[in-house]
Coordinates of all heavy atoms in Angstrom, one line a residue:
M9 N 89.7 81.0 62.8 CA 91.1 81.0 62.9 C 91.7 79.7 62.7 O 91.1 78.7 63.0 CB 91.5 81.4 64.4 CG 91.3 82.9 64.5 SD 91.9 83.4 66.2 CE 90.6 82.9 67.3
K10 N 92.9 79.7 62.1 CA 93.5 78.4 61.6 C 94.9 78.3 62.3 O 95.6 79.2 62.1 CB 93.5 78.3 60.1 CG 94.2 77.2 59.6 CD 94.3 77.1 58.1 CE 94.9 75.9 57.6 NZ 95.0 76.0 56.1
P11 N 95.1 77.1 63.0 CA 96.5 77.0 63.5 C 97.5 76.8 62.5 O 97.3 76.1 61.5 CB 96.4 75.6 64.3 CG 94.9 75.3 64.4 CD 94.2 76.1 63.3
I12 N 98.5 77.6 62.6 CA 99.7 77.6 61.6 C 101.1 77.1 62.2 O 102.0 77.1 61.4 CB 99.8 78.9 60.7 CG1 100.0 80.1 61.7 CG2 98.5 79.0 59.9 CD1 100.3 81.2 60.8
G13 N 101.1 77.0 63.4 CA 102.4 76.7 64.1 C 102.3 76.7 65.5 O 101.3 77.0 66.2
K14 N 103.5 76.4 66.1 CA 103.7 76.3 67.6 C 105.1 77.0 67.9 O 106.0 76.9 67.2 CB 103.6 74.9 67.9 CG 103.8 74.8 69.6 CD 103.5 73.2 69.9 CE 104.8 72.5 69.6 NZ 104.6 71.1 70.1
I15 N 105.0 77.8 69.1 CA 106.3 78.4 69.5 C 107.1 77.3 70.2 O 106.6 76.6 71.1 CB 106.0 79.5 70.4 CG1 105.1 80.6 69.6 CG2 107.1 80.1 71.1 CD1 104.7 81.8 70.4
I16 N 108.3 77.1 69.8 CA 109.1 76.2 70.3 C 110.3 76.9 71.1 O 110.9 76.2 71.9 CB 109.9 75.3 69.2 CG1 110.7 76.1 68.1 CG2 108.7 74.4 68.6 CD1 111.4 75.2 67.3
H17 N 110.4 78.1 71.2 CA 111.3 78.9 72.0 C 111.1 80.4 71.9 O 110.4 80.9 71.0 CB 112.9 78.8 71.5 CG 113.8 79.2 72.5 ND1 114.1 78.5 73.8 CD2 114.6 80.2 72.6 CE1 114.9 79.2 74.4 NE2 115.3 80.3 73.7
Y18 N 111.3 81.1 73.1 CA 111.1 82.5 73.2 C 112.2 83.2 73.8 O 112.7 82.7 74.8 CB 109.8 82.8 74.0 CG 109.6 84.2 74.3 CD1 109.2 85.2 73.3 CD2 109.7 84.8 75.6 CE1 109.0 86.4 73.4 CE2 109.4 86.1 75.8 CZ 109.3 86.9 74.7 OH 109.0 88.3 74.9
Y19 N 112.8 84.1 73.1 CA 113.9 85.0 73.7 C 113.3 86.2 74.2 O 112.9 87.2 73.6 CB 114.8 85.3 72.5 CG 115.6 84.1 71.8 CD1 115.1 83.5 70.7 CD2 116.8 83.6 72.5 CE1 115.8 82.5 70.2 CE2 117.3 82.4 72.0 CZ 116.8 81.9 70.9 OH 117.5 80.7 70.4
D20 N 113.3 86.3 75.5 CA 112.7 87.3 76.3 C 113.3 88.7 76.0 O 112.7 89.7 75.8 CB 112.8 87.0 77.8 CG 112.0 88.0 78.6 OD1 110.8 88.3 78.2 OD2 112.4 88.3 79.8
K21 N 114.7 88.7 76.0 CA 115.4 90.0 75.9 C 115.2 90.7 74.6 O 115.3 92.0 74.6 CB 116.9 89.8 76.2 CG 117.2 89.5 77.6 CD 118.6 89.4 78.0 CE 118.8 89.1 79.5 NZ 120.1 88.7 79.8
I22 N 115.0 90.0 73.5 CA 114.9 90.5 72.3 C 113.5 90.3 71.7 O 113.1 90.8 70.6 CB 115.9 90.1 71.2 CG1 115.8 88.4 71.1 CG2 117.4 90.3 71.6 CD1 116.6 88.0 69.9
S23 N 112.4 89.8 72.5 CA 111.1 89.7 72.1 C 110.9 89.0 70.9 O 110.1 89.4 69.9 CB 110.4 91.0 72.1 OG 110.4 91.6 73.3
V24 N 111.5 87.8 70.8 CA 111.4 87.1 69.4 C 111.0 85.7 69.8 O 111.6 85.0 70.7 CB 112.9 86.9 68.7 CG1 112.9 85.9 67.6 CG2 113.3 88.4 68.1
A25 N 110.0 85.2 69.0 CA 109.4 83.8 69.2 C 109.8 83.0 68.1 O 109.9 83.4 66.9 CB 107.9 83.9 69.2
I26 N 110.4 81.8 68.4 CA 110.8 80.8 67.2 C 109.5 80.0 67.1 O 109.0 79.3 68.0 CB 112.0 80.0 67.8 CG1 113.1 80.9 68.0 CG2 112.3 79.0 66.6 CD1 113.6 81.9 67.1
V27 N 109.1 79.9 65.9 CA 107.9 79.2 65.5 C 108.1 78.0 64.5 O 108.7 78.3 63.5 CB 106.8 80.1 64.9 CG1 105.4 79.4 64.5 CG2 106.5 81.3 65.8
E28 N 107.6 76.9 64.9 CA 107.8 75.8 64.0 C 106.4 75.7 63.2 O 105.4 75.6 63.9 CB 107.9 74.4 64.7 CG 108.0 73.3 63.8 CD 108.4 71.9 64.6 OE1 108.4 72.0 65.8 OE2 108.8 71.0 63.8
L29 N 106.4 75.9 61.9 CA 105.3 76.2 61.1 C 104.7 74.8 60.7 O 105.3 73.9 60.3 CB 105.5 77.1 60.0 CG 105.8 78.5 60.1 CD1 106.2 79.2 58.9 CD2 104.7 79.2 60.8
T30 N 103.3 74.7 60.6 CA 102.6 73.6 60.0 C 101.8 74.1 58.9 O 101.1 73.2 58.2 CB 101.5 73.0 61.1 OG1 100.7 74.0 61.6 CG2 102.3 72.4 62.3
D31 N 101.9 75.3 58.5 CA 101.2 75.9 57.3 C 101.9 77.2 57.0 O 103.0 77.5 57.6 CB 99.8 76.2 57.6 CG 98.9 76.4 56.5 OD1 99.3 76.5 55.3 OD2 97.6 76.6 56.6
K32 N 101.5 77.9 55.8 CA 102.2 79.0 55.5 C 101.9 80.2 56.3 O 101.0 80.3 56.9 CB 102.0 79.3 54.0 CG 100.5 79.5 53.7 CD 100.2 79.9 52.2 CE 98.7 80.1 52.1 NZ 98.2 80.0 50.8
M33 N 103.0 81.2 56.4 CA 102.8 82.4 57.0 C 103.7 83.4 56.2 O 104.8 83.1 55.7 CB 103.4 82.3 58.4 CG 103.3 83.6 59.2 SD 103.5 83.5 61.0 CE 105.2 83.1 61.1
K34 N 103.2 84.6 56.2 CA 103.9 85.7 55.4 C 103.7 87.0 56.1 O 102.9 87.1 56.9 CB 103.2 85.8 53.9 CG 101.8 86.2 53.8 CD 101.3 86.2 52.3 CE 99.9 86.7 52.2 NZ 99.0 86.4 53.1
I35 N 104.6 87.9 55.7 CA 104.6 89.3 56.2 C 103.2 89.9 56.0 O 102.7 89.7 54.8 CB 105.7 90.1 55.6 CG1 107.1 89.6 55.9 CG2 105.6 91.5 56.0 CD1 107.5 89.6 57.3
G36 N 102.6 90.6 57.0 CA 101.3 91.1 56.8 C 100.1 90.3 57.3 O 99.0 90.7 57.4
D37 N 100.4 88.9 57.6 CA 99.3 88.2 58.1 C 99.1 88.6 59.6 O 99.9 89.1 60.3 CB 99.9 86.7 58.3 CG 99.8 85.8 57.0 OD1 99.2 86.4 56.0 OD2 100.3 84.6 57.0
K38 N 97.8 88.5 59.8 CA 97.3 88.8 61.2 C 97.2 87.5 61.9 O 96.6 86.6 61.6 CB 95.8 89.5 61.2 CG 95.5 89.9 62.6 CD 94.3 90.9 62.4 CE 94.0 91.4 63.9 NZ 92.8 92.3 64.0
I39 N 97.9 87.4 63.1 CA 98.0 86.2 63.9 C 97.5 86.4 65.3 O 97.5 87.5 65.8 CB 99.3 85.6 63.8 CG1 100.5 86.5 64.4 CG2 99.8 85.2 62.4 CD1 101.8 85.9 64.7
K40 N 97.2 85.3 65.9 CA 96.9 85.3 67.3 C 97.9 84.2 68.0 O 98.0 83.3 67.5 CB 95.4 84.8 67.5 CG 95.1 84.8 69.0 CD 93.6 84.4 69.1 CE 93.1 84.6 70.6 NZ 92.8 86.0 70.9
I41 N 98.4 84.6 69.1 CA 99.3 83.7 69.9 C 98.5 83.4 71.2 O 98.1 84.4 71.9 CB 100.6 84.2 70.1 CG1 101.4 84.5 68.8 CG2 101.4 83.5 71.1 CD1 102.7 85.2 68.9
E42 N 98.2 82.2 71.4 CA 97.5 81.8 72.6 C 98.0 80.6 73.3 O 98.6 79.7 72.6 CB 96.0 81.5 72.3 CG 95.7 80.4 71.3 CD 94.3 80.3 71.1 OE1 93.4 81.1 71.2 OE2 93.7 79.2 70.8
G43 N 97.8 80.5 74.5 CA 98.2 79.4 75.4 C 99.6 79.5 76.0 O 100.2 78.8 76.8
G44 N 100.2 80.7 75.8 CA 101.4 81.1 76.5 C 101.1 81.9 77.7 O 100.1 81.9 78.3
K45 N 102.2 82.8 78.0 CA 102.0 83.7 79.3 C 100.9 84.6 79.0 O 100.2 85.1 79.9 CB 103.3 84.4 79.6 CG 104.4 83.4 80.0 CD 105.7 84.0 80.2 CE 106.8 83.1 80.6 NZ 108.1 83.5 80.5
N46 N 100.8 85.2 77.7 CA 99.8 86.1 77.3 C 99.0 85.6 76.1 O 99.6 84.7 75.4 CB 100.4 87.5 77.0 CG 101.1 88.3 78.2 OD1 100.6 88.0 79.3 ND2 102.2 88.8 78.1
E47 N 97.9 86.1 75.9 CA 97.2 85.9 74.7 C 97.0 87.2 73.9 O 96.5 88.1 74.5 CB 95.9 85.2 74.9 CG 95.2 84.4 74.0 CD 94.1 83.6 74.4 OE1 94.3 82.6 75.1 OE2 92.9 84.0 74.1
F48 N 97.4 87.2 72.7 CA 97.4 88.5 72.0 C 97.3 88.4 70.4 O 97.7 87.2 69.9 CB 98.5 89.4 72.3 CG 99.9 88.8 72.1 CD1 100.6 89.1 70.9 CD2 100.6 87.9 72.9 CE1 101.9 88.5 70.6 CE2 101.8 87.4 72.7 CZ 102.4 87.7 71.6
D49 N 96.9 89.4 69.7 CA 96.8 89.4 68.4 C 97.9 90.4 67.7 O 98.3 91.4 68.4 CB 95.4 90.0 67.7 CG 94.3 89.1 68.1 OD1 94.6 88.0 68.6 OD2 93.2 89.7 67.9
Q50 N 98.5 90.2 66.6 CA 99.4 91.1 66.1 C 99.6 90.8 64.5 O 99.1 89.7 64.2 CB 100.8 91.1 66.7 CG 101.6 89.9 66.3 CD 103.1 90.0 66.8 OE1 103.2 90.2 68.0 NE2 104.0 90.0 66.0
I51 N 100.1 91.7 63.9 CA 100.5 91.6 62.4 C 102.0 91.2 62.4 O 102.8 91.6 63.1 CB 100.3 92.9 61.7 CG1 98.9 93.5 61.9 CG2 100.8 92.8 60.3 CD1 97.9 92.8 61.1
V52 N 102.2 90.1 61.5 CA 103.6 89.7 61.4 C 104.3 90.7 60.4 O 104.0 91.0 59.3 CB 103.6 88.3 60.6 CG1 105.1 87.9 60.3 CG2 102.9 87.2 61.3
D53 N 105.2 91.4 61.2 CA 106.0 92.5 60.4 C 107.4 92.2 60.2 O 108.1 93.0 59.4 CB 105.7 93.9 61.0 CG 106.2 93.9 62.4 OD1 106.7 93.0 62.9 OD2 105.9 95.0 63.2
S54 N 107.9 91.2 60.8 CA 109.2 90.7 60.5 C 109.4 89.3 60.7 O 108.8 88.7 61.7 CB 110.3 91.5 61.4 OG 110.3 91.0 62.7
M55 N 110.2 88.6 59.9 CA 110.3 87.1 60.0 C 111.6 86.8 59.4 O 112.1 87.3 58.3 CB 109.3 86.5 59.1 CG 109.2 85.0 59.1 SD 107.7 84.2 58.5 CE 107.2 85.2 57.0
E56 N 112.3 85.9 60.0 CA 113.6 85.4 59.7 C 113.7 83.9 59.7 O 113.0 83.2 60.6 CB 114.7 86.0 60.5 CG 114.8 87.5 60.5 CD 116.0 88.1 61.3 OE1 116.6 87.2 62.1 OE2 116.2 89.1 61.2
I57 N 114.5 83.3 58.8 CA 115.0 82.0 58.8 C 116.5 82.0 58.9 O 117.2 82.7 58.0 CB 114.5 81.2 57.5 CG1 112.9 81.2 57.5 CG2 115.0 79.8 57.5 CD1 112.3 80.5 56.3
D58 N 117.1 81.3 59.9 CA 118.5 81.3 60.0 C 119.1 82.7 59.9 O 120.1 83.1 59.2 CB 119.2 80.5 58.8 CG 118.9 79.0 59.0 OD1 118.6 78.5 60.3 OD2 118.8 78.3 58.1
R59 N 118.5 83.6 60.6 CA 119.0 85.1 60.7 C 118.9 85.9 59.4 O 119.5 86.8 59.2 CB 120.3 85.2 61.3 CG 120.3 84.7 62.8 CD 121.6 85.1 63.4 NE 121.4 84.5 64.9 CZ 122.4 83.8 65.5 NH1 123.4 83.4 64.8 NH2 122.3 83.5 66.7
K60 N 118.2 85.4 58.4 CA 117.9 86.1 57.1 C 116.5 86.4 56.9 O 115.6 85.5 57.2 CB 118.5 85.2 56.0 CG 119.9 84.9 55.9 CD 120.4 84.1 54.8 CE 121.9 83.9 54.6 NZ 122.5 83.1 55.7
S61 N 116.2 87.6 56.5 CA 114.8 88.1 56.5 C 114.1 87.4 55.2 O 114.8 87.2 54.3 CB 114.8 89.6 56.2 OG 115.2 90.3 57.3
V62 N 112.9 86.9 55.5 CA 112.2 86.4 54.5 C 110.8 87.0 54.4 O 110.3 87.6 55.5 CB 112.0 84.8 54.7 CG1 113.4 84.1 54.5 CG2 111.3 84.5 55.9
D63 N 110.1 86.9 53.3 CA 108.7 87.4 53.2 C 107.6 86.4 53.5 O 106.4 86.8 53.9 CB 108.5 88.1 51.7 CG 109.4 89.2 51.5 OD1 109.6 90.0 52.4 OD2 109.7 89.5 50.4
S64 N 108.0 85.1 53.3 CA 107.1 84.0 53.6 C 107.8 82.8 54.0 O 109.0 82.6 53.6 CB 106.1 83.8 52.4 OG 106.9 83.5 51.3
A65 N 107.1 81.9 54.6 CA 107.6 80.5 54.9 C 106.5 79.6 54.9 O 105.3 79.9 54.9 CB 108.3 80.6 56.2
G66 N 106.8 78.3 54.9 CA 105.9 77.2 54.8 C 105.9 76.2 55.9 O 106.8 76.1 56.7
S67 N 105.1 75.2 55.7 CA 105.0 74.0 56.5 C 106.4 73.4 56.8 O 107.1 73.1 55.8 CB 104.0 73.1 56.1 OG 104.0 71.8 57.0
G68 N 106.9 73.1 57.9 CA 108.1 72.5 58.2 C 109.2 73.5 58.5 O 110.3 73.2 59.0
D69 N 109.0 74.8 58.0 CA 110.0 75.8 58.4 C 110.0 76.2 59.8 O 109.0 76.3 60.5 CB 109.8 77.0 57.5 CG 110.1 76.8 56.0 OD1 110.9 76.0 55.7 OD2 109.5 77.6 55.1
V70 N 111.1 76.6 60.3 CA 111.2 77.2 61.6 C 111.7 78.7 61.5 O 112.7 78.9 61.0 CB 112.3 76.4 62.5 CG1 112.5 77.2 63.9 CG2 111.9 74.9 62.6
V71 N 110.9 79.6 61.9 CA 111.0 81.0 61.7 C 111.1 81.7 63.1 O 110.6 81.3 64.1 CB 110.0 81.6 60.8 CG1 109.9 81.1 59.5 CG2 108.7 81.5 61.4
G72 N 111.7 82.8 63.0 CA 111.8 83.7 64.1 C 110.9 85.0 63.9 O 111.1 85.5 62.7
I73 N 110.1 85.4 64.7 CA 109.3 86.5 64.5 C 109.3 87.4 65.7 O 109.2 86.9 66.9 CB 107.8 86.2 64.2 CG1 107.0 85.4 65.3 CG2 107.6 85.4 62.9 CD1 105.5 85.3 65.2
K74 N 109.3 88.6 65.4 CA 109.3 89.7 66.5 C 107.9 89.7 67.1 O 106.9 89.8 66.2 CB 109.6 91.1 65.9 CG 109.9 92.1 67.0 CD 111.3 92.1 67.6 CE 111.5 93.3 68.4 NZ 112.7 93.0 69.2
V75 N 107.7 89.7 68.4 CA 106.3 89.6 69.0 C 106.2 90.8 70.0 O 107.3 91.2 70.5 CB 106.1 88.4 69.8 CG1 105.9 87.2 68.8 CG2 107.2 88.0 70.8
K76 N 105.0 91.3 70.0 CA 104.9 92.6 70.9 C 104.7 92.3 72.4 O 104.6 93.2 73.2 CB 103.6 93.4 70.3 CG 102.4 92.7 70.5 CD 101.2 93.6 69.8 CE 99.8 92.9 70.0 NZ 98.8 93.8 69.4
E77 N 104.4 91.0 72.8 CA 104.2 90.7 74.1 C 104.9 89.4 74.5 O 105.4 88.7 73.6 CB 102.6 90.4 74.5 CG 101.8 91.9 74.4 CD 100.4 91.6 74.6 OE1 100.2 90.8 75.6 OE2 99.5 92.2 74.1
K78 N 105.0 89.1 75.7 CA 105.7 87.9 76.2 C 104.8 86.8 75.8 O 103.6 86.8 75.8 CB 106.0 87.9 77.6 CG 107.0 89.0 78.2 CD 107.3 88.9 79.6 CE 108.3 89.9 79.9 NZ 108.8 89.8 81.2
T79 N 105.4 85.6 75.5 CA 104.9 84.4 75.2 C 105.7 83.2 75.8 O 106.6 83.6 76.6 CB 104.5 84.2 73.7 OG1 103.7 83.0 73.5 CG2 105.8 84.2 72.9
G80 N 105.4 82.0 75.5 CA 106.1 80.9 76.0 C 106.1 79.7 75.0 O 105.3 79.6 74.1
E81 N 107.0 78.7 75.3 CA 107.0 77.6 74.5 C 105.7 76.9 74.6 O 105.1 76.8 75.6 CB 108.2 76.6 75.1 CG 109.6 77.2 74.7 CD 110.7 76.4 75.3 OE1 110.5 75.2 75.7 OE2 111.8 76.9 75.4
G82 N 105.4 76.2 73.5 CA 104.1 75.5 73.5 C 102.9 76.3 73.1 O 101.8 75.7 72.8
A83 N 103.0 77.6 73.1 CA 101.8 78.5 72.6 C 101.6 78.3 71.1 O 102.5 78.1 70.4 CB 102.3 79.9 72.9
L84 N 100.4 78.3 70.9 CA 99.9 78.1 69.5 C 99.9 79.5 68.7 O 99.5 80.4 69.2 CB 98.5 77.5 69.4 CG 98.3 76.0 69.8 CD1 96.9 75.6 69.8 CD2 99.2 75.1 69.1
V85 N 100.2 79.3 67.4 CA 100.0 80.5 66.6 C 99.0 80.2 65.5 O 99.0 79.1 64.8 CB 101.4 80.7 65.8 CG1 101.3 81.8 64.8 CG2 102.6 80.9 66.8
L86 N 97.9 81.0 65.5 CA 96.9 80.9 64.6 C 96.7 82.1 63.7 O 97.0 83.2 64.1 CB 95.5 80.9 65.5 CG 95.5 79.7 66.5 CD1 95.4 80.4 67.8 CD2 94.4 78.9 66.4
R87 N 96.3 81.8 62.4 CA 96.1 82.8 61.5 C 94.7 83.4 61.5 O 93.7 82.6 61.6 CB 96.4 82.5 59.9 CG 96.2 83.6 59.1 CD 96.6 83.3 57.6 NE 96.4 81.9 57.1 CZ 97.4 81.1 57.0 NH1 98.7 81.5 57.2 NH2 97.3 79.9 56.6
I88 N 94.6 84.6 61.7 CA 93.1 85.2 61.8 C 92.7 85.5 60.4 O 93.2 86.2 59.6 CB 93.2 86.6 62.6 CG1 93.5 86.2 64.0 CG2 91.8 87.1 62.6 CD1 93.8 87.4 64.9
E89 N 91.6 84.8 59.9 CA 91.1 84.9 58.6 C 90.2 86.2 58.5 O 89.5 86.2 59.5 CB 90.3 83.5 58.2 CG 91.1 82.3 58.3 CD 92.2 82.1 57.3 OE1 92.2 82.9 56.3 OE2 93.0 81.2 57.6
E90 N 90.4 86.9 57.5 CA 89.6 88.1 57.5 C 88.6 88.0 56.4 O 88.9 87.3 55.4 CB 90.5 89.4 57.4 CG 91.1 89.6 58.8 CD 92.0 90.8 58.7 OE1 92.1 91.5 57.7 OE2 92.4 91.1 59.8

């Protein structure tokens, strides 16, 4: 697993994590979120930059992703290499 970003904010009511990326991420990537309230794996199935849907983003981008479980600020986002 490779770290690709960190959660800088979490919107509980809409289950969206704001991620500051240190590497690329794209729709379909399998990720692990660890270090927050929960630790879980999921597939990236939606991603937005400035409320506009995107298929991929890179280092330095700040993206919003829909998450299936609660998380928190400071949690790491890792790409699961298959």
Side-chain angles (χ1 to χ4, degrees):
M9 285 186 289
K10 179 180 178 183
I12 58 170
K14 181 171 75 172
I15 295 177
I16 57 173
H17 192 72
Y18 174 66
Y19 293 99
D20 188 39
K21 290 183 179 175
I22 58 174
S23 298
V24 169
I26 305 302
V27 181
E28 184 173 12
L29 294 173
T30 56
D31 200 351
K32 63 184 176 190
M33 182 166 65
K34 65 183 183 318
I35 298 293
D37 280 353
K38 187 169 184 182
I39 60 170
K40 179 179 193 76
I41 296 178
E42 65 179 22
K45 296 175 182 171
N46 294 323
E47 200 167 289
F48 58 94
D49 297 350
Q50 79 169 55
I51 302 289
V52 178
D53 56 11
S54 72
M55 182 168 39
E56 295 184 357
I57 297 177
D58 295 328
R59 297 190 176 128
K60 292 181 177 68
S61 291
V62 295
D63 292 332
S64 63
S67 181
D69 287 334
V70 176
V71 300
I73 61 170
K74 189 85 167 162
V75 290
K76 65 180 186 178
E77 294 186 32
K78 291 184 179 188
T79 187
E81 292 178 14
L84 290 178
V85 179
L86 302 113
R87 181 174 28 256
I88 299 172
E89 306 289 344
E90 294 183 351

